[in-house]
């Protein structure tokens, strides 16, 4: 336990007023690998050139409209792809893993604009692209790329929903969000959750909400000493309340 | 008198009564297409409204619905049903009266549509819902009259706009429909008349005898009011004394939180065990109904309440109204005072209790205004288009419609008389297709136009969902509060407040101190194990802005050399402000800076009116953010804006550079918290956002996302979109006012007096109690997070992380 804590201290970002553009300081150690949570909510594995994003929920506005709901601004797909493209460019990723719920449902994948399909195809060019199944988008999609239920890569397993007792697991699904009260101000922010065994990614999609980091579903998954990496530049690491060691 | 049928005439005679002159006037003008009665509470207003209906229905010849009565309160509809039922029974009239509100059972509602009563009592929302059904033409076929009660209250809100649009559709179904409005005393009866009548029909205004002037004064107490503080705690003993001396006392507060604190303190000091209750809109219905029943039965000597008792429910024998906290608005004060003494010819008795010395000044100004019958009010401007969007959706639910006809009809609502065809078509396009620059919804349009030009729902099944979102009342996200185990509901608190609670925290609700135990299925579970002084629950507040007229009077008082009209303690307090800092002057801007509450505070006295001061707050915090001064939020009043942040502002003058402020206005307008709040409200009304139903909330929050995200996305990709135009229209209507900032900057010409202090000044103290704090999320958040990381770094050697000590958590 003390070991995990020391690691956490070592990776805490610099404190101070000056903003740092060097976002590579924060590292999540898991199964001997170093993973980097990016300010946008993507996770980068430098040793293997893998960029992982979760819960893109592309086509959400289409799905809601199709089901007789309201007509939301139909811009979430391009906004999400814009941010994803920026992270791909920044990291020069060789592999992109979309960790499930990439589409709000399977029909949403078919409803994309031609422009948006071409955009995805362009992003896929020259790199390995893996769609992991999510509960929103089970089954193969009509888009190019490899479709998998889960992916084993070195010591790590990539799947959509975390499993109890897993280790070396990278997952999404829960859209974790931190809530921190400091001097009377409640700050809410999307975050990664991690402990010695797993990382849970925040939702990357524009039209997504968050689940409070102290929600029972999350607390029962995360072990003692689990920590959160808050999105933003710099990425900040904090212990998750209620999960402290002791 | 001869117009009254025998049965009604006999009823009056048997009791030795005769109708009031205005009741006869109403009867004589019963054929008018529109008629407005202005009468004080207790003036037989309701009977005046119904007498023509009773007369027309007396012979039993009318079949089906004759009169539709609309009130802003569900409880009022039920109350009228009881009060109308008695004379109808005693007169032996063959008239069926029923109410229909959100509380009415489904079977009864169904039956009412098939077999409507002669008189139906309902609310604007229930009427809108009725008009969304295909069978509306049949139900309303024989309708003769519509009575809008408390129309002065409805005329100030979007509920009233929705009602008036609904009346245009009713009038389309029954062209000879006659409209009657019943109003309390207002400053501009002609405006209410225009609001009521079918445009451009005339509307006669009848005035009942206003009765004697109220007997109204400021309560003298032995204890002096404090410098600041909003609770009026110093006056508890004096209030108990007054309750003892009167039969029933209503004790009004401006906010629910203040009502809770006051009730708690009253209860602690109530050694005689006087029966005193509390009533406000955040309490569970069961709790409210218990208090209402006790009040009707005459079992309560005092009721601590808020605006929830503002409207004319007849609660029995109230002989004193106490207003705690300064009345922010003279008209509302006069209307509240009308609650005391329902006997028509006796003066109402009221006492004002200023909560602090600043409010003494406000109370004295309000007393002067009330004595001079100087009522305040602001013209409302053209009808809001978010309400029009919902109106179109409702029309579509009822069946196919013709756009030309719907447009022509909408223009007969006074507030929409100036609506252009282009503005209407934009709303229709928005409702039909989303109205986006990116035409994405060809397949999934909400409305489609048929070959014959008529519009209809693409998918008729959507009607059920649209009906669930009818209404214009803004609901904040609240959570129910229940006692653990027993499951007894106590009321509700704002979700943001619930989120700030940790186990063991205590807060006040319904006058009890309860202990937070945890959150279960979106319900706050509490116990009575209250072992700590309570935190304050933040209820969604009805926010009152001080009226412009009233603030002018207050300003004049500030500018006096001395204050013979004010109590000694308050005059001393103003002198102290003059000694310690300055009293604000007309042609200068006074800026005070001082540390307080662990933050750096800056107060700008600009006297430009609340909306302008709010705009100034937004602009100054935007400038401070640019300059790295880490502002955290601000709150504005008519006189001043208070800004708090992490850093002291060493020299405020550069912040006021007119060119920079002007340049910042447009950019600022796009991205601030006030606009996002406005967007959320308008987008919900317009049907872009659906209300959170309990089931969607239970299913987990990660499925729902913040309306701020939609606002940001829309601003980024479709800045000309109708919903953003409406947001801007609505914000400019009541929230922001750059014109008066400009005027203030010109008037003061850069003459800025900066006073640096080590603590709060007398004049600044009350600002810390103002509701409506606006957060600024920027640099300060980042630094606070850094601070938290540092703190945790320092404490992480401990076995357990201690929560930060905070003595009082204010939101934002």
């Amino acid at each position: 336990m003390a070991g995990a804590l020391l690691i956490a201290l070592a990776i805490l970002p610099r404190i101070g007023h000056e903003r740092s553009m060097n976002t590579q300081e924060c590292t999540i150690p898991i199964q001997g690998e170093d993973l980097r949570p990016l300010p946008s909510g993507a996770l980068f594995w430098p040793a293997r050139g893998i960029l992982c994003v979760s819960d893109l929920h592309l086509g959400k506005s289409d799905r809601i409209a199709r089901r007789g709901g309201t007509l939301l601004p139909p811009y979430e797909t391009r906004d999400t792809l814009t941010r994803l493209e920026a992270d791909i460019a920044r990291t020069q990723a060789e592999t992109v893993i979309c960790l499930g719920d990439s589409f709000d449902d399977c029909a949403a994948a078919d409803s994309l604009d031609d422009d948006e399909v071409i955009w995805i195809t362009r992003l896929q060019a020259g790199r390995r692209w893996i769609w992991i199944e999510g509960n929103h988008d089970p089954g193969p999609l009509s888009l190019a790329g490899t479709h998998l239920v889960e992916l084993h890569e070195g010591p790590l397993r990539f799947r959509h929903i975390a499993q109890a007792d897993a280790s070396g697991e990278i997952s999404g699904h829960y859209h974790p969000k931190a809530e921190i009260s400091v001097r009377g101000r409640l700050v809410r922010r999307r975050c990664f959750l991690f402990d010695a065994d797993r990382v849970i990614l925040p939702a990357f999609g524009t039209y997504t909400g968050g689940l409070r980091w102290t929600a029972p579903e999350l607390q029962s998954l995360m072990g003692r000493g689990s920590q959160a990496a808050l999105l933003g530049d710099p990425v900040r690491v904090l212990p998750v309340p209620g999960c402290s060691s002791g | 008198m001869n117009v009254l049928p025998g049965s009604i005439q006999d009823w009056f005679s048997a009791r030795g009564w005769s109708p009031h002159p205005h009741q006869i006037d109403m009867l004589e003008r019963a054929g008018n297409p529109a008629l407005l009665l202005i009468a004080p509470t207790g003036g037989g207003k309701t009977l005046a409204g119904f007498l023509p209906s009773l007369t027309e229905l007396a012979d039993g010849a009318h079949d089906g619905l004759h009169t539709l009565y609309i009130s802003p309160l569900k409880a009022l509809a039920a109350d009228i049903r009881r009060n109308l039922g008695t004379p109808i029974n005693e007169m032996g009239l063959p008239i069926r009266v029923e109410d229909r509100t959100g509380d009415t059972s489904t079977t009864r509602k169904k039956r009412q549509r098939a077999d409507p009563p002669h008189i139906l009592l309902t609310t604007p929302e229930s009427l809108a819902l009725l008009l969304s059904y295909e069978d509306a033409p049949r139900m309303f076929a024989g309708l003769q009259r519509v009575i809008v009660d408390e129309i002065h209250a409805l005329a100030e809100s979007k509920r009233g706009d929705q009602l008036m649009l609904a009346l245009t559709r009713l009038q389309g179904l029954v062209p000879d429909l006659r409209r009657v409005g019943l109003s309390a005393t207002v400053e501009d009866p002609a405006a209410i008349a225009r609001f009521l009548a079918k445009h451009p029909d005339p509307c006669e205004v009848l005035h009942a005898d206003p009765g004697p002037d109220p007997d109204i004064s400021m309560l003298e107490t032995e204890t002096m009011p404090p410098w600041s503080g909003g609770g009026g705690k110093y006056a508890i003993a004096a209030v108990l004394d007054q309750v003892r001396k009167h039969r029933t006392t209503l004790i009004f507060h401006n906010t629910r939180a203040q009502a809770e604190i006051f009730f708690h303190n009253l209860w602690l000091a109530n050694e005689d065990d006087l029966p005193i209750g509390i009533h406000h809109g955040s309490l569970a219905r069961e709790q409210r109904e218990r208090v209402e029943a006790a009040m009707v039965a005459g079992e309560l000597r005092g009721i601590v309440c808020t605006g929830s008792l503002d409207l004319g429910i007849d609660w029995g024998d109230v002989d004193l109204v106490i207003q705690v906290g300064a009345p922010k608005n003279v008209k509302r004060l006069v209307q509240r005072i009308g609650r005391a003494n329902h006997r028509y010819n006796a003066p109402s008795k009221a006492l004002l209790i200023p909560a602090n010395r600043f409010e003494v000044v406000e109370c004295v100004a309000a007393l002067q205004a009330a004595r001079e019958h100087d009522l305040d009010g602001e013209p409302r401007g053209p009808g809001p288009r978010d309400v029009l969007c919902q109106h179109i959706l409702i029309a579509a639910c009822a069946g196919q419609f013709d756009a030309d006809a719907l447009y022509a009809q909408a223009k007969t609502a006074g507030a929409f008389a100036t609506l252009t065809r282009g503005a209407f078509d934009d709303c229709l396009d928005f409702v039909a297709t989303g109205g986006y620059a990116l035409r994405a919804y060809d397949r999934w349009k909400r409305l489609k136009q048929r070959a014959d030009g008529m519009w209809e729902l693409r998918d008729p099944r959507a009607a059920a969902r649209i009906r669930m979102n009818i209404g214009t009342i803004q609901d904040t996200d609240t959570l129910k509060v229940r006692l653990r185990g027993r499951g007894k509901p106590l009321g509700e608190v704002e979700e943001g407040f619930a989120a700030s609670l940790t186990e063991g925290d205590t807060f006040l609700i319904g006058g009890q101190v309860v202990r937070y135990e945890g959150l279960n299925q979106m319900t706050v579970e509490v116990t009575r194990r209250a072992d700590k002084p309570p935190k304050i629950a933040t209820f969604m507040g009805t926010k009152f802005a001080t009226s412009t007229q009233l603030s002018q009077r207050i300003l004049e008082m500030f500018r006096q050399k001395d204050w013979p009209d004010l109590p000694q303690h308050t005059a001393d307090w103003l002198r102290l402000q003059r000694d310690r800092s300055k009293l604000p002057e007309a042609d200068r801007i006074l800026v005070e800076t001082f540390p307080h509450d662990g933050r750096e505070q800056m107060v700008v006295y600009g006297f430009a009116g609340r909306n302008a001061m709010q705009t100034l707050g937004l602009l100054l915090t935007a400038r401070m953010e640019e300059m790295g001064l880490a502002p955290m939020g601000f709150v504005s009043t008519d006189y001043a804006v208070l800004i708090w942040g992490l850093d002291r502002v060493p020299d405020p003058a550069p912040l006021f550079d007119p060119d920079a402020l002007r340049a910042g206005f447009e950019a600022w307008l796009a991205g601030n918290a006030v606009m996002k709040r406005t967007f959320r409200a308008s987008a919900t009304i317009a049907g872009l956002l659906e209300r959170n139903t309990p089931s969607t909330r239970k299913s987990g929050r990660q499925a729902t996302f913040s309306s701020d995200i939609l606002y940001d996305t829309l601003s980024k990709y479709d800045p000309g979109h109708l919903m953003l135009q409406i947001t801007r229209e609505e914000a400019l209507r009541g929230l922001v006012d750059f014109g008066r900032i400009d005027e203030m900057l010109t008037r003061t010409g850069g003459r800025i007096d900066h006073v640096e202090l080590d603590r709060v000044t007398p004049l600044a103290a009350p600002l810390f109690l103002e509701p409506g704090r606006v957060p600024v999320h920027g640099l300060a958040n980042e630094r606070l997070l850094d601070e938290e990381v540092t703190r945790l770094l320092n404490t992480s050697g401990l076995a357990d992380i201690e929560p930060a000590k905070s003595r009082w958590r204010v939101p934002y």
Side-chain angles (χ1 to χ4, degrees):
Chain A
M1 209 59 271
L5 196 63
L6 281 176
I7 294 163
L9 298 186
I11 58 167
L12 278 165
R14 271 212 316 265
I15 311 297
H17 296 179
E18 70 274 39
R19 298 266 73 79
S20 158
M21 286 318 290
N22 177 9
T23 57
Q24 309 296 321
E25 295 169 86
C26 183
T27 305
I28 295 174
I30 182 164
Q31 301 284 317
E33 300 291 333
D34 284 341
L35 306 180
R36 285 182 192 158
L38 304 184
S40 61
L43 185 69
F44 187 54
W45 187 358
R48 304 218 175 190
I50 290 177
L51 182 72
C52 181
V53 289
S54 190
D55 298 273
L56 303 179
H57 287 273
L58 303 177
K60 184 171 198 115
S61 59
D62 182 83
R63 172 168 176 253
I64 290 173
R66 183 175 359 111
R67 295 189 161 197
T70 70
L71 307 177
L72 296 180
Y75 303 109
E76 80 284 13
T77 298
R78 61 186 58 189
D79 192 67
T80 305
L81 291 179
T82 303
R83 288 181 295 108
L84 179 56
E85 182 165 19
D87 278 341
I88 291 173
R90 188 172 304 147
T91 56
Q92 294 295 307
E94 290 150 28
T95 300
V96 172
I97 301 174
C98 297
L99 209 46
D101 288 1
S102 307
F103 295 90
D104 215 45
D105 66 3
C106 292
D110 298 329
S111 76
L112 295 185
D113 264 12
D114 291 346
D115 290 355
E116 289 161 351
V117 174
I118 293 167
W119 195 340
I120 292 173
T121 311
R122 184 159 48 80
L123 295 182
Q124 291 178 329
R127 55 181 59 88
R128 186 163 71 127
W129 192 284
I130 293 152
W131 303 105
I132 302 281
E133 275 184 14
N135 51 313
H136 277 259
D137 54 356
L141 304 164
S142 53
L143 291 154
T146 311
H147 301 264
L148 297 171
V149 173
E150 54 179 71
L151 170 75
H152 295 203
E153 184 81 15
L156 302 183
R157 281 150 201 266
F158 293 84
R159 60 170 69 103
H160 181 58
I161 303 180
Q163 293 175 1
D165 307 321
S167 64
E169 178 191 72
I170 314 294
S171 65
H173 181 63
Y174 291 103
H175 305 196
K177 164 184 82 174
E179 287 189 346
I180 297 160
S181 179
V182 203
R183 288 213 256 163
R185 164 64 53 91
L186 186 69
V187 182
R188 294 194 172 92
R189 195 159 289 191
R190 297 177 189 212
C191 63
F192 298 81
L193 295 182
F194 61 96
D195 60 19
D197 293 319
R198 59 165 54 86
V199 183
I200 298 179
L201 267 65
F204 193 85
T206 299
Y207 285 177
T208 55
L211 181 67
R212 214 182 284 172
W213 59 352
T214 51
E217 301 91 307
L218 288 169
Q219 297 239 317
S220 68
L221 278 169
M222 303 308 296
R224 292 194 150 191
S226 70
Q227 301 178 69
L230 273 52
L231 306 205
D233 195 0
V235 174
R236 294 180 180 83
V237 174
L238 295 170
V240 177
C243 289
S244 54
S245 50
Chain B
M1 193 94 349
N2 49 9
V3 283
L4 273 184
S7 47
I8 302 181
Q9 183 64 56
D10 294 348
W11 182 79
F12 273 105
S13 312
R15 283 156 186 80
W17 297 348
S18 59
H20 288 298
H22 63 265
Q23 292 173 334
I24 296 297
D25 287 347
M26 291 287 283
L27 205 53
E28 284 171 356
R29 288 162 181 77
N32 285 19
L35 193 56
L36 174 64
L37 173 66
I38 311 268
T41 319
K45 195 165 51 177
T46 313
L47 193 56
F50 279 108
L51 261 188
S53 295
L54 301 189
T55 303
E56 289 168 28
L57 287 165
D59 61 5
H62 185 89
D63 200 24
L65 192 57
H66 176 282
T67 297
L68 190 62
Y69 164 92
I70 319 279
S71 93
L73 288 186
K74 282 191 260 190
L76 195 50
D79 188 53
I80 298 282
R81 182 173 48 75
R82 281 192 298 272
N83 292 346
L84 202 56
T86 311
I88 285 176
N89 285 336
E90 289 170 355
M91 292 171 191
L93 297 176
I95 301 175
R96 212 170 99 214
V97 183
E98 290 178 13
D99 62 334
R100 180 193 182 95
T101 66
D103 294 345
T104 309
S105 74
T106 320
T107 37
R108 193 183 175 87
K109 279 181 178 170
K110 235 178 220 157
R111 194 185 46 65
Q112 282 175 341
R113 276 166 58 199
D115 175 25
H118 297 110
I119 298 179
L120 184 67
L121 314 166
T122 189
T123 59
E125 291 71 29
S126 284
L127 174 62
L129 193 58
L130 281 174
L131 283 168
S132 78
Y133 292 110
E134 288 185 8
D135 59 6
R138 199 172 47 73
M139 178 174 180
F140 292 108
L143 186 67
Q144 300 289 314
R145 307 178 72 228
V146 57
I147 301 171
V148 183
D149 201 358
E150 309 280 358
I151 191 172
H152 61 280
L154 286 169
E156 286 176 356
S157 74
K158 290 185 180 180
R159 299 180 71 201
D161 295 316
Q162 174 162 56
L163 173 61
M164 289 306 145
L165 284 173
L167 291 193
T168 67
R169 283 194 54 222
L170 264 186
Q171 199 102 44
L173 298 175
V174 275
D176 293 333
L177 180 68
R178 291 162 283 158
R179 305 180 181 195
V180 172
L182 307 176
S183 171
T185 320
V186 287
E187 78 289 356
D188 187 1
I192 307 274
R194 277 194 303 277
F195 175 74
L196 170 68
K198 176 185 172 203
H199 183 78
D201 284 0
C203 174
E204 193 175 343
V205 182
L206 295 176
H207 290 268
D209 176 4
D213 274 352
D215 165 11
I216 159 176
S217 54
M218 204 154 69
L219 179 67
E220 301 280 331
T221 52
E222 284 181 19
T223 332
M224 284 188 285
W227 272 29
S228 73
K233 189 178 174 188
Y234 76 96
I236 290 285
V239 168
L240 274 176
D241 205 37
Q242 292 293 331
V243 172
R244 236 176 259 122
K245 285 183 195 155
H246 291 83
R247 283 189 308 275
T248 308
T249 306
L250 288 187
I251 306 163
F252 276 104
H253 290 262
N254 288 335
T255 70
R256 294 171 189 179
Q258 281 170 2
E260 283 284 354
I261 302 164
F262 194 85
F263 181 70
H264 183 67
N265 287 326
L266 208 53
W267 189 74
L268 292 177
N270 185 7
E271 285 163 6
D272 305 350
D273 283 336
L274 292 167
I276 298 176
I278 180 165
H279 190 285
H280 63 70
S282 290
L283 294 179
R285 196 168 90 208
E286 295 84 342
Q287 297 253 107
R288 274 182 282 149
E289 283 173 351
R290 228 177 39 224
V291 171
E292 288 162 16
M295 202 168 151
V296 171
E299 288 162 7
L300 291 180
R301 297 289 300 279
I303 299 95
V304 174
C305 58
T306 64
S308 63
L309 285 189
D310 256 347
L311 296 170
I313 302 173
D314 199 349
W315 294 127
D317 217 1
V318 175
D319 56 348
L320 175 65
V321 165
I322 291 180
Q323 161 73 36
V324 182
K328 301 290 178 185
N329 171 309
V330 180
K331 185 167 58 179
R332 189 171 291 107
L333 173 69
V334 169
Q335 289 164 359
R336 275 186 178 171
I337 291 172
R339 302 308 319 279
N341 212 335
H342 270 204
R343 277 167 308 153
Y344 192 39
N345 47 9
S348 318
K349 190 171 168 195
L351 289 169
L352 301 187
I353 301 183
N356 55 55
R357 300 212 194 159
F358 186 85
E359 291 195 350
V360 173
V361 182
E362 292 187 287
C363 283
V364 168
L367 280 173
Q368 286 174 358
R371 282 193 200 111
E372 291 166 22
H373 299 277
D374 180 12
L375 300 186
D376 33 24
E378 312 254 345
R380 267 198 82 221
R385 286 202 285 166
D386 46 3
V387 179
L388 182 63
C389 291
Q390 190 178 114
H391 179 68
I392 296 171
L393 274 173
I394 294 171
C397 287
Q400 46 175 303
F401 67 89
D402 175 57
D404 297 344
L406 195 67
Y407 169 63
Q409 212 173 54
K411 274 172 71 78
T412 65
F416 292 89
T418 57
L419 180 71
T420 64
R421 184 57 195 253
F424 174 86
D425 284 343
D426 287 348
C427 292
L428 178 59
D429 181 44
F430 164 76
V431 169
T433 71
Y436 298 106
L438 177 72
R439 309 302 292 190
Y441 293 121
D442 284 347
R443 276 182 300 168
W444 314 126
K445 283 176 185 167
R446 269 185 143 175
L447 305 186
K448 63 172 196 220
Q449 195 171 17
R450 305 188 321 188
D452 64 358
M454 300 290 275
W455 291 84
E456 63 182 13
L457 288 178
R458 174 183 60 82
D459 179 358
R461 288 171 301 179
R465 263 177 106 154
I466 292 168
R467 289 195 184 105
M468 286 180 60
N469 287 285
I470 285 180
T472 59
I473 300 173
Q474 209 182 324
D475 39 20
T476 32
D477 283 336
T478 55
L479 298 178
K480 282 211 166 15
V481 180
R482 280 177 191 277
L483 278 181
R484 172 166 279 184
R486 268 176 293 174
K488 197 177 150 204
L490 298 175
E492 45 194 33
V493 293
E494 278 185 9
E495 202 172 324
F497 176 72
S500 78
L501 295 169
T502 51
E503 196 187 317
D505 281 347
T506 56
F507 60 96
L508 276 168
I509 187 160
Q512 312 177 32
V513 185
V514 292
R515 181 182 197 271
Y516 176 76
E517 301 292 345
L519 200 61
N520 183 13
Q521 298 277 333
M522 302 305 285
T523 298
V524 175
E525 292 196 326
V526 298
T527 57
R528 290 228 170 84
R529 196 153 54 93
D531 41 15
K532 273 195 283 186
K535 286 184 167 197
I536 311 303
T538 57
F539 302 99
M540 62 260 193
T542 328
K543 171 149 177 54
F544 297 130
T546 308
S547 70
T548 327
Q549 285 90 325
L550 204 45
S551 58
Q552 281 308 318
R553 286 178 184 271
I554 295 163
L555 271 181
E556 281 161 29
M557 269 193 241
F558 277 150
R559 290 174 192 158
Q560 292 169 15
K561 278 214 149 33
D562 207 0
W563 300 278
D565 299 341
L566 293 177
Q568 187 63 35
H569 52 66
T570 301
D572 289 346
W573 173 78
L574 285 175
R575 272 179 218 112
L576 191 65
Q577 168 73 22
R578 193 148 63 193
D579 295 347
R580 211 169 261 179
S581 171
K582 275 172 179 300
L583 273 169
E585 293 172 58
D587 55 349
R588 310 180 75 84
I589 293 176
L590 172 63
V591 180
E592 293 175 342
T593 51
F594 49 83
H596 184 69
D597 235 2
R599 298 162 177 178
E600 292 295 335
Q601 316 279 346
M602 174 168 82
V603 183
V604 179
Y605 301 88
F607 297 100
R610 189 175 178 281
N611 300 337
M613 293 314 288
Q614 167 146 296
T615 311
L616 186 64
L618 289 162
L619 288 171
L620 289 178
T621 48
R623 292 271 289 147
M624 288 166 71
E625 183 75 24
E626 274 168 29
M627 296 164 82
L629 291 166
M632 291 177 70
F634 67 91
V635 68
S636 47
T637 68
D638 290 287
Y639 341 105
V641 55
L642 165 69
I643 299 173
W644 56 95
L646 296 178
D647 293 337
R648 200 172 60 84
V649 178
D651 176 17
L655 293 175
F656 290 87
D657 173 23
D659 293 333
L661 284 183
R662 253 177 232 120
F665 183 65
E666 283 304 313
W668 154 82
L669 199 53
N672 66 72
V674 174
M675 292 299 271
K676 286 176 181 173
R677 277 182 200 173
T678 311
F679 173 80
R680 181 175 168 184
S682 283
T684 306
I685 293 170
L688 178 63
L689 297 176
E690 294 184 326
R691 287 169 206 276
N692 280 334
T693 58
S695 63
T696 59
R697 288 171 72 184
K698 235 174 233 172
S699 70
R701 294 298 273 180
Q702 76 259 49
T704 60
F705 56 99
S706 148
S707 65
D708 292 1
I709 291 175
L710 290 180
Y711 178 84
D712 290 339
T713 308
L714 206 47
S715 305
K716 192 163 158 193
Y717 294 98
D718 206 342
H721 188 262
L722 178 74
M723 213 50 245
L724 295 179
Q725 290 175 32
I726 291 178
T727 303
R728 206 183 151 109
E729 283 164 16
E730 294 304 302
L732 289 171
R733 180 190 292 276
L735 302 168
V736 299
D737 185 348
F738 192 68
R740 290 185 68 180
I741 301 269
D742 234 8
E743 182 272 326
M744 179 194 82
L745 293 173
T746 313
R747 170 163 51 89
T748 52
R751 288 179 292 273
I752 292 165
D753 298 318
H754 180 206
V755 186
E756 288 183 274
L757 301 131
D758 57 0
R759 62 179 134 146
V760 187
T761 62
L763 213 47
L767 291 170
F768 289 87
L769 302 162
E770 274 294 315
R773 296 159 77 96
V774 179
V776 175
H777 293 289
L779 185 56
N781 278 10
E782 303 303 318
R783 280 181 37 197
L784 285 168
L785 284 177
D786 286 340
E787 207 174 271
E788 187 66 359
V789 170
T790 315
R791 192 183 67 80
L792 291 173
L793 188 65
N794 294 337
T795 54
S796 56
L798 303 174
D800 237 326
I801 310 248
E802 300 250 352
K805 286 264 188 291
S806 58
R807 50 196 181 89
W808 172 295
R809 259 185 270 189
V810 253
Y812 320 126

